[in-house]
Amino acid sequence: MTALDDRNPQTRITLTEVANHAGVSRSTVSLVLRGSPLVAAETRERVQAAIEALGYVYNRGAATLRAARTQTVGLLICEINNPFFSEMTAGVDDVLDKEGFVAFLANTAELPERQDRFLQRMREHNVDGVILCPAGGTQPDLLDRLRRWQLPCVQALRFLSARDGDYAGVDYEYGMETLTEHLIRLGHTRIAFVGGNLTHSATTERRKGFAAAMRRHGLSPDMIVRCPLTRRAGAEAVGALLDRPDPPTAALCFSDVVAFGVMLGLEARGLKAGRDMAVTGFDDVPEAALSRPALTTVATSARQIGQEAARLLLRRIADPQGPQERVILPSRLVVRESCGAMTQRPSIS
């Protein structure tokens, strides 16, 4: 031992000692360590100076045990290459970062068995909760399993049950109905629904909105091309559309990504969206306004959905027995050139 300090080197400096040195309460020191915005800047500086002077080391492991939380959550999405999910993930991070939480991101690739492996791994890492966009084909009893695990869960974009569990999403049905009505007003009567080869709530609601608008005008909603939600699949779907004896004059696509593919497929045949066939998307990803022609679509506020899902999860973590919450954001029609609104008439006959 030196004259500088006769303390046992194995003895840790305590929060109380830091508080006494800084002239504040123990709880104030705790708030500073957690990065709380509730502490005034001057007080925070005084506490940090005391921590440095005394050589205090924050035992995060012990703090985690005391709180029974890890400040981590799981974020499971199904299409990591879809720009919509990039925006949603940014929204989740906006909220979690301010509250000192970190998200573990996992891409299920629309495979329920892969989703199950990730959920089990996140449980092993003791995450405080999960935000889940269920993979296509996920069974509803997954929610019961998560409850048995006592793992808080918020469903995002898709739900396994319309009445069970917390959910953050958008009004897909209304958005697709509005978009279909827009095409009908432009004079289209042969409208194809393109995309969506998996069964989940987002597919069901989109098709429901499409069918409702078509039937209201005495039109058939049966021209459906099921395909994966990729550019390549959208481009390949053009052949199935144009080779029909009664080709559609408008392609109403499940998502913007599929619509981009359809526009490429038309271009490969010497045709142009908005002139030779109306093409619409859904989501309004940033690329939609920059494509040529610019894409008519439905804005679904991906970043805001992520923010709402994160807020729901934090409330559920804080109050596991609280009432279930469902946040449904409105959708909004965005008219651009790809639907042919300038000509207001179908071109393919």
Side-chain angles (χ1 to χ4, degrees), residues 73-74 76 119 122 127-132 146 151-154 313:
V73 302
L76 289 84
L119 285 170
M122 288 175 177
V127 296
D128 295 326
V130 294
I131 296 172
L132 172 67
L146 295 175
L151 183 61
C153 174
V154 169
L313 183 60

Side-chain angles (χ1 to χ4, degrees), residues 172 175-176 179-180 183 191-196 202-203 206-207 210 223-225 227-231 233-235 237-238 241 248 250-264 266 273 277-284 295-298 300 338:
Y172 296 116
M176 196 59 81
L179 189 54
T180 307
L183 291 174
I191 304 173
F193 186 102
V194 183
T203 301
R206 279 170 163 90
R207 288 184 181 161
F210 167 63
M223 197 182 301
I224 295 176
V225 177
C227 68
L229 305 181
T230 64
R231 279 178 170 79
V238 170
L241 295 174
L252 188 152
C253 300
F254 183 98
S255 68
D256 291 347
V257 171
V258 173
F260 296 146
V262 169
M263 291 197 292
L264 289 172
L266 288 172
M277 178 185 286
V279 178
T280 64
F282 203 98
D283 287 335
D284 196 28
L295 182 64
T296 292
T297 186
V298 171
T300 55
S338 71

Side-chain angles (χ1 to χ4, degrees), residues 12-328:
R12 281 183 175 273
I13 301 295
T14 66
L15 280 183
T16 301
E17 289 174 289
V18 174
N20 291 337
H21 191 281
V24 298
S25 68
R26 189 177 184 280
S27 61
T28 298
V29 176
S30 180
L31 287 172
V32 170
L33 291 170
R34 296 204 304 269
S36 172
L38 300 176
V39 182
E42 181 182 346
T43 303
R44 181 181 295 106
E45 290 172 3
R46 194 160 71 248
V47 170
Q48 289 170 339
I51 288 171
E52 185 174 348
L54 296 176
Y56 175 79
V57 177
Y58 183 36
N59 189 337
R60 189 171 296 278
T64 296
L65 288 174
R66 287 194 299 273
R69 293 179 187 165
T70 61
Q71 302 294 105
T72 61
V73 302
L75 173 59
L76 289 84
I77 61 175
C78 48
E79 300 171 51
I80 200 167
N81 58 335
N82 187 328
F84 179 89
F85 284 99
S86 299
E87 284 291 303
M88 191 194 86
T89 299
V92 170
D93 185 65
D94 287 342
V95 173
L96 294 183
D97 182 57
K98 290 178 182 177
E99 298 299 326
F101 280 71
V102 173
F104 294 148
L105 177 65
N107 177 39
T108 66
E110 297 285 17
L111 298 172
E113 61 274 17
R114 181 180 167 98
Q115 176 177 273
D116 285 346
R117 289 199 305 273
F118 283 140
L119 285 170
Q120 179 62 46
R121 185 62 58 84
M122 288 175 177
R123 181 192 184 198
E124 292 168 359
H125 280 80
N126 200 31
V127 296
D128 295 326
V130 294
I131 296 172
L132 172 67
C133 179
T138 300
Q139 297 302 305
D141 63 3
L142 174 61
L143 296 179
D144 292 330
R145 192 194 327 162
L146 295 175
R147 274 191 284 266
R148 288 196 300 272
W149 290 355
Q150 296 184 326
L151 183 61
C153 174
V154 169
Q155 303 162 90
L157 304 177
R158 307 171 182 175
F159 53 78
L160 299 176
S161 169
R163 292 176 294 276
D164 189 14
D166 297 322
Y167 171 70
V170 69
D171 193 340
Y172 296 116
E173 184 177 346
Y174 176 78
M176 196 59 81
E177 189 170 351
T178 301
L179 189 54
T180 307
E181 285 281 357
H182 173 69
L183 291 174
I184 293 172
R185 285 197 302 271
L186 292 179
H188 297 280
T189 57
R190 298 195 307 278
I191 304 173
F193 186 102
V194 183
N197 62 331
L198 298 174
T199 301
H200 50 70
S201 64
T203 301
T204 300
E205 292 193 346
R206 279 170 163 90
R207 288 184 181 161
K208 189 184 297 184
F210 167 63
M214 293 291 281
R215 291 191 174 116
R216 186 158 51 244
H217 293 272
L219 303 174
S220 172
D222 298 332
M223 197 182 301
I224 295 176
V225 177
R226 294 174 173 82
C227 68
L229 305 181
T230 64
R231 279 178 170 79
R232 178 180 294 276
E236 293 173 348
V238 170
L241 295 174
L242 297 184
D243 293 343
R244 294 174 59 96
D246 58 341
T249 61
L252 188 152
C253 300
F254 183 98
S255 68
D256 291 347
V257 171
V258 173
F260 296 146
V262 169
M263 291 197 292
L264 289 172
L266 288 172
E267 185 178 338
R269 289 187 172 224
L271 303 173
K272 183 178 179 181
R275 182 190 68 195
D276 302 299
M277 178 185 286
V279 178
T280 64
F282 203 98
D283 287 335
D284 196 28
V285 300
E287 187 182 345
L290 303 175
S291 65
R292 292 294 176 266
L295 182 64
T296 292
T297 186
V298 171
T300 55
S301 306
R303 195 172 191 124
Q304 190 177 352
I305 292 173
Q307 293 168 345
E308 293 295 345
R311 291 187 187 106
L312 276 179
L313 183 60
L314 292 176
R315 290 199 292 272
R316 177 58 59 204
I317 291 170
D319 185 9
Q321 304 305 318
Q324 295 180 0
E325 296 185 63
R326 301 180 75 81
V327 177
I328 311 295

